[in-house]
């Protein structure tokens, strides 16, 4: 069974630009979550999607948005990039159940210059 | 979300058992305890979870105190590949919706 796939692995963008990151969950998983990891703040939850609906949202500005497609693939978008958005962005997928373990991808490392 | 407290770092000799403690004194009755680890430059990896009973799988054992205010993750025979940051998380699933709130974790170093 293939794992969670995130593309691209590395990205360099300029301040003010926007960026779209992609995540393909494990086959059969309908929940996709996004996290931001920085040295200063650690791992922080961005949002979670299930069946194309956002069910949970973290404390990030509206510049951070996401969506999920009918095949459960998800994208997150960051508009008007700031230097502080430089981070490792991680995607996790899980199946619905009473208790579900999350499977993480390798992440996309975004550098804003 | 209940908060967890973990030591910042720990060392363990290769082949010995690594015991990683976690305090979660504000945990509520329907919150689970999860453990994940993150090896450098990789995404976090699920290890184990539990509600109130002790749990064991092929990777580790989880011991939860009777009052559920603390837990210990045990790696029975640590290897160099177990060097990682270990995160203890408490969380609740509502209709399957999952939000993991990571703390700073414990940086475990396995020494040869």
């Amino acid at each position: 069974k293939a794992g969670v796939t995130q593309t691209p692995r590395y990205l360099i963008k300029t301040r003010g630009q926007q960026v779209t990151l992609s995540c393909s969950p494990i086959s059969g998983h309908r929940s996709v979550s996004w996290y931001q990891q920085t040295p200063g703040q650690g791992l922080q939850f961005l949002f979670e999607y299930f069946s194309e609906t956002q069910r949970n949202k973290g404390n990030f500005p509206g510049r951070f948005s996401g969506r999920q497609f009918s095949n459960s693939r998800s994208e997150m978008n960051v508009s008007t990039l700031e230097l502080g958005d430089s981070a490792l962005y991680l995607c996790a997928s899980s199946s619905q159940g009473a208790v579900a373990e999350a499977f993480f991808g390798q992440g996309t490392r975004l550098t804003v210059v | 979300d209940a908060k967890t407290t973990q030591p910042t770092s720990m060392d363990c000799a290769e082949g010995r058992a690594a015991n990683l403690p976690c305090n979660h004194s504000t945990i509520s009755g329907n919150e689970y305890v999860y453990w994940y680890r993150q090896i450098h430059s990789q995404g976090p990896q699920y290890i184990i979870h539990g509600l109130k009973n002790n749990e064991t799988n092929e990777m580790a054992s989880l011991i939860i105190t009777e009052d559920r205010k603390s837990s210990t993750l045990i790696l029975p025979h640590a290897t160099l590949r177990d060097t990682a940051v270990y995160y203890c998380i408490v969380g609740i699933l509502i209709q399957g919706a999952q939000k993991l709130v990571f703390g700073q974790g414990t940086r475990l170093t396995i020494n040869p």
Side-chain angles (χ1 to χ4, degrees), chain A residues 9 31 33 35 37 40-43 45 48 55-57 88 90 94 96-102 104-106, chain B residues 32 34 36 38 40-47 49-50 87 92-104:
Chain A
R9 289 293 310 278
S31 169
S33 302
Y35 294 81
Q37 185 171 30
Q41 299 297 318
L43 271 156
F45 173 81
E48 186 251 356
R55 294 195 300 190
N56 252 318
K57 190 175 188 310
L88 180 66
L90 292 156
S94 61
Q96 185 176 19
V99 180
E101 65 194 73
F104 283 80
Q106 294 281 68
Chain B
Y32 286 81
Y34 298 85
Y36 282 74
Q38 187 174 26
H40 185 62
S41 298
Q42 296 182 21
Q45 177 190 22
Y46 166 85
I47 301 173
H49 72 269
Y87 296 98
I92 185 171
L93 289 182
I94 301 173
Q95 296 179 343
Q98 177 166 248
K99 177 175 93 170
L100 299 175
V101 180
F102 289 82
Q104 294 304 308

Side-chain angles (χ1 to χ4, degrees), chain B residues 75-107:
Chain B
L75 307 177
H77 305 287
T79 70
L80 298 179
R81 287 178 294 182
D82 292 322
T83 292
V85 178
Y86 286 77
Y87 296 98
C88 169
I89 302 157
V90 295
I92 185 171
L93 289 182
I94 301 173
Q95 296 179 343
Q98 177 166 248
K99 177 175 93 170
L100 299 175
V101 180
F102 289 82
Q104 294 304 308
T106 296
R107 184 172 297 278

Side-chain angles (χ1 to χ4, degrees), chain B residues 50-76:
Chain B
L51 183 61
K52 61 174 101 172
N53 298 320
N54 297 338
E55 302 288 345
T56 296
N57 63 19
E58 65 279 3
M59 287 183 69
S61 295
L62 173 61
I63 309 297
I64 302 174
T65 58
E66 194 169 337
D67 63 7
R68 304 210 324 122
K69 293 185 177 181
S70 65
S71 60
T72 301
L73 178 74
I74 301 172
L75 307 177

Side-chain angles (χ1 to χ4, degrees), chain B residues 19-36:
Chain B
N19 297 285
L20 292 89
C22 178
N23 287 321
H24 31 79
S25 57
T26 59
I27 192 170
S28 60
N30 54 358
E31 285 186 308
Y32 286 81
V33 179
Y34 298 85
W35 283 83
Y36 282 74

Side-chain angles (χ1 to χ4, degrees), chain A residues 13-48:
Chain A
K13 289 286 189 179
T14 305
R15 266 183 306 177
Q17 287 187 311
Q18 76 163 15
V19 67
T20 299
L21 311 181
S22 179
C23 172
S24 292
I26 290 172
S27 178
H29 285 188
R30 296 164 66 187
S31 169
V32 174
S33 302
W34 288 89
Y35 294 81
Q36 181 197 65
Q37 185 171 30
T38 59
Q41 299 297 318
L43 271 156
Q44 293 186 285
F45 173 81
L46 280 156
F47 28 67
E48 186 251 356

